[in-house]
Amino acid sequence: MVKEIERAGLPVVHMCTVTPISMTVGANRIVPTIAIPHPLGNPALEPEEEYKLRKSLVAKALKALTTEVSDQTIFED
């Protein structure tokens, strides 16, 4: 589905915990997340720390979304 949305002219960021799967399905912009049961958070953290973690992941995804790519790219930082 990622490739079809991109083909329509909309950039897509695939956020996932297992980046090789994203590579296999052909996602162009990949943002690694935390863990399979909690990809965008960590319930072991205090609420303030988890908020910071989630905010940083969303910021990373927005940066990836606005970055021009010509090949599959994993946005680590």
Side-chain angles (χ1 to χ4, degrees):
M1 179 174 276
V2 170
K3 290 179 87 169
E4 290 302 316
I5 295 171
E6 292 242 350
R7 197 179 327 251
L10 298 170
V12 175
V13 176
H14 195 228
M15 299 178 77
C16 66
T17 55
V18 186
T19 57
I21 292 173
S22 295
M23 298 292 283
T24 301
V25 299
N28 286 327
R29 295 170 185 85
I30 303 164
V31 173
T33 57
I34 307 305
I36 291 173
H38 307 286
L40 295 177
N42 181 349
L45 296 176
E46 293 295 321
E48 298 82 20
E49 290 301 312
E50 187 174 27
Y51 176 81
K52 287 179 188 176
L53 173 64
R54 290 178 181 211
K55 187 174 179 180
S56 72
L57 286 169
V58 171
K60 193 181 301 184
L62 288 172
K63 179 181 178 197
L65 192 63
T66 60
T67 301
E68 194 68 36
V69 297
S70 59
D71 223 358
Q72 290 182 305
T73 305
I74 298 176
F75 291 83
E76 297 285 347
D77 291 319

